[in-house]
Amino acid sequence: MVDPLSTALLMTLSLLLLAAVATDAFVSPSHHYGRQQLTKYVVSNHRRLGPFHIIDNAHSRQILYMTENDNEEIDETGAYAGTSSDGTIEEEESPSEVISSYKSKISTRRTGTEARPGSSAQTPIDVTMKFGGSSLANAERIDHVANLIKDRTNPPPNEDGSPSGENPVRPRAVICSAMGKTTNSLLAAGEMALEGRVDIEALRTLHLGTCRKFDIPERTRNDVEKLLDECEDMLNGVRLIQELSPKSLDQLVSYGERCSVRIMAARLNQIGVPAQAFDAWDVGVLTDDTYGDAKLLPGTIASIKERFDGRVDPNVVAVVTGFIGHNTKGKITTLGRGGSDLTATAIGAALEVDEVQVWKDVDGILTADPRLVKNALPVSRVL
């Protein structure tokens, strides 16, 4: 049963989100703020990306997870019956139950750790980080995000040369959406194909131009180009058979994220942050067969943990696609609204990280729409 209070808070948060307007978050990529300052600048600074919610207290952490909309995006029905090592039948928790349990443990685990922000301790905290399409819209923004991740893993000194008081982080996974409006462009390309026209030159220019700007290694450029060629071939198939099913549509929109994670991982490696790109199914994201609005299957959390334990070096950043997965037949599916946030949360729950960080290129939640109310103010905390 959905908690009425959680639902009310989620609805309130959704309304407040409408008041958040994107600004120029990329003017000064080199400046670094400690955690205490970051908490301040998340709601007032126009020059830097910031975590959308203050995550140093239990209330806002709960709000962070409410934005994952897990009551809608995760299958709430049933549990998976498995067989234990002694042959008895045991019930496996659904993904929603695992994530809910993880959320409650995180709040308890963080109680009494108030000294962590701004402290001199240098023990890295494990995190997952999620970046949306507008944060990755072009080469400049990808470079900004890559350097932001680098600064978080090894905080630079303060402006006066003194050591940073910020705890370093160890990003176990960075979840990336498609670059800019790529998903919308792919949807439009599908409609065009139904009308008999195939044209993805704008997408080629965006992705291959970004590769050239960074002088990305040839292997990655070839991978990106191969994905774009496959996308074009698929659209030609749509043009010929005059059909674009939900199943085909999910595959079509997957190409944006699959390109973006490869570019981001390559850029991170270039600036000295070891990284590897993964499609979500390669790290265990399993869904049902509901194309366009798939739900995580029971066992997904365990699958993610198993894949990370066996395939991903903890000191290498796994750059993972956001809202796509595989069903049991190995076909590409897309999660529903908020799917990238859900992926970040599911991976965080599986790896039991200290923080799940959802980064946005907006000032934060405002008291009103600033286009209508001149003196709208940022909300510093959501309770």
Side-chain angles (χ1 to χ4, degrees):
M1 179 178 293
V2 178
D3 180 5
L5 178 59
S6 297
T7 302
L9 286 169
L10 179 60
M11 292 176 65
T12 302
L13 181 61
S14 298
L15 292 172
L16 288 169
L17 284 171
L18 297 176
V21 176
T23 57
D24 182 5
F26 303 93
V27 175
S28 179
S30 62
H31 194 71
H32 178 83
Y33 303 110
R35 182 181 295 271
Q36 293 285 12
Q37 293 170 304
L38 182 63
T39 299
K40 174 184 177 183
Y41 279 96
V42 66
V43 294
S44 64
N45 181 48
H46 287 252
R47 297 180 179 271
R48 186 165 175 83
L49 287 173
F52 198 65
H53 302 295
I54 304 168
I55 54 181
D56 290 325
N57 64 80
H59 291 296
S60 57
R61 178 174 294 281
Q62 293 301 316
I63 293 296
L64 171 77
Y65 282 103
M66 287 176 189
T67 66
E68 315 308 333
N69 212 7
D70 52 74
N71 61 312
E72 294 181 10
E73 304 300 347
I74 303 176
D75 189 356
E76 296 285 349
T77 62
Y80 176 78
T83 304
S84 66
S85 57
D86 61 4
T88 60
I89 301 299
E90 59 182 16
E91 198 173 68
E92 182 175 336
E93 292 180 299
S94 68
S96 60
E97 291 171 330
V98 174
I99 290 176
S100 296
S101 173
Y102 169 63
K103 290 190 293 186
S104 65
K105 289 177 182 177
I106 259 193
S107 297
T108 303
R109 187 163 68 220
R110 297 289 286 175
T111 300
T113 61
E114 290 78 3
R116 181 172 269 173
S119 72
S120 59
Q122 293 300 309
T123 302
I125 59 173
D126 284 350
V127 302
T128 60
M129 309 169 83
K130 180 260 179 176
F131 296 92
S134 60
S135 300
L136 307 168
N138 51 39
E140 178 188 12
R141 295 188 177 190
I142 284 181
D143 185 60
H144 179 84
V145 168
N147 280 282
L148 182 153
I149 294 169
K150 181 179 181 180
D151 283 354
R152 297 282 287 168
T153 60
N154 185 22
N158 297 322
E159 290 183 333
D160 61 3
S162 61
S164 171
E166 181 183 356
N167 272 93
V169 303
R170 182 174 69 161
R172 297 299 311 277
V174 170
I175 290 78
C176 293
S177 298
M179 292 180 66
K181 300 295 184 181
T182 294
T183 300
N184 289 340
S185 297
L186 287 165
L187 291 170
E191 292 295 325
M192 287 176 55
L194 290 173
E195 297 170 358
R197 296 176 295 150
V198 173
D199 182 5
I200 64 165
E201 286 309 305
L203 294 175
R204 287 187 183 277
T205 299
L206 174 63
H207 293 89
L208 297 179
T210 301
C211 289
R212 285 192 294 270
K213 184 176 180 64
F214 294 143
D215 194 21
I216 292 294
E218 183 178 0
R219 178 179 177 180
T220 300
R221 289 201 307 271
N222 290 341
D223 287 346
V224 171
E225 193 156 15
K226 182 179 179 181
L227 286 169
L228 293 170
D229 288 343
E230 185 179 310
C231 176
E232 188 168 25
D233 288 344
M234 180 185 175
L235 287 169
N236 274 312
V238 172
R239 176 180 62 83
L240 290 172
I241 66 174
Q242 288 294 289
E243 182 180 346
L244 186 58
S245 66
K247 176 182 174 182
S248 298
L249 201 58
D250 276 6
Q251 179 172 334
L252 177 62
V253 298
S254 76
Y255 290 109
E257 289 188 348
R258 293 161 73 189
C259 287
S260 72
V261 296
R262 286 157 173 81
I263 294 171
M264 174 58 75
R267 186 57 184 156
L268 285 169
N269 281 307
Q270 283 184 325
I271 63 173
V273 180
Q276 183 177 354
F278 291 94
D279 295 322
W281 50 82
D282 289 330
V283 293
V285 177
L286 305 173
T287 77
D288 62 17
D289 296 334
T290 310
Y291 295 106
D293 191 20
K295 306 295 186 289
L296 296 181
L297 288 177
T300 295
I301 302 298
S303 173
I304 293 172
K305 178 174 174 53
E306 179 184 0
R307 293 294 183 92
F308 267 84
D309 287 347
R311 300 186 59 176
V312 184
D313 185 330
N315 296 308
V316 172
V317 178
V319 185
V320 183
T321 55
F323 78 131
I324 60 178
H326 264 182
N327 63 16
T328 55
K329 303 177 184 70
K331 302 301 181 182
I332 297 174
T333 57
T334 60
L335 301 169
R337 184 167 171 254
S340 296
D341 294 346
L342 175 62
T343 298
T345 308
I347 293 175
L351 303 182
E352 297 187 340
V353 299
D354 295 291
E355 295 179 354
V356 172
Q357 299 180 352
V358 178
W359 292 73
K360 300 286 185 179
D361 62 340
V362 295
D363 279 348
I365 299 174
L366 303 182
T367 53
D369 187 337
R371 295 169 297 186
L372 303 177
V373 180
K374 182 178 180 180
N375 296 322
L377 299 173
V379 177
S380 60
R381 182 168 297 176
V382 179
L383 300 178

